[in-house]
């Protein structure tokens, strides 16, 4: 995965908050994406940093 140009949370505070909550719950990024897809969110790509 290529590194982000901007620090996490610099321009997208929602992405930083989601990453923090996911890590606090102990979910891996792919597990989290699978759970979102099961709930109806389609075409997700693992672009936020872990």
């Amino acid at each position: 995965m290529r590194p982000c140009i901007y620090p996490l949370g610099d321009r997208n505070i929602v992405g930083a908050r989601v990453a923090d909550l996911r890590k606090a719950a102990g979910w891996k990024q792919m597990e989290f994406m699978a759970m979102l897809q099961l709930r109806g969110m389609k075409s997700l790509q693992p672009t936020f940093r872990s």
Side-chain angles (χ1 to χ4, degrees):
M1 184 182 305
R2 65 182 172 89
C4 292
I5 297 172
Y6 301 104
L8 185 62
D10 185 45
R11 293 190 178 202
N12 182 1
I13 59 173
V14 174
R17 182 80 172 132
V18 169
D20 290 341
L21 292 172
R22 178 184 61 77
K23 288 177 187 177
W27 296 325
K28 294 181 181 177
Q29 187 170 355
M30 295 304 284
E31 292 171 348
F32 181 66
M33 287 179 26
M35 290 180 352
L36 291 177
Q37 287 175 345
L38 288 173
R39 287 174 172 80
M41 296 183 78
K42 302 245 188 262
S43 69
L44 293 172
Q45 296 178 353
T47 56
F48 53 92
R49 290 179 15 189
S50 295

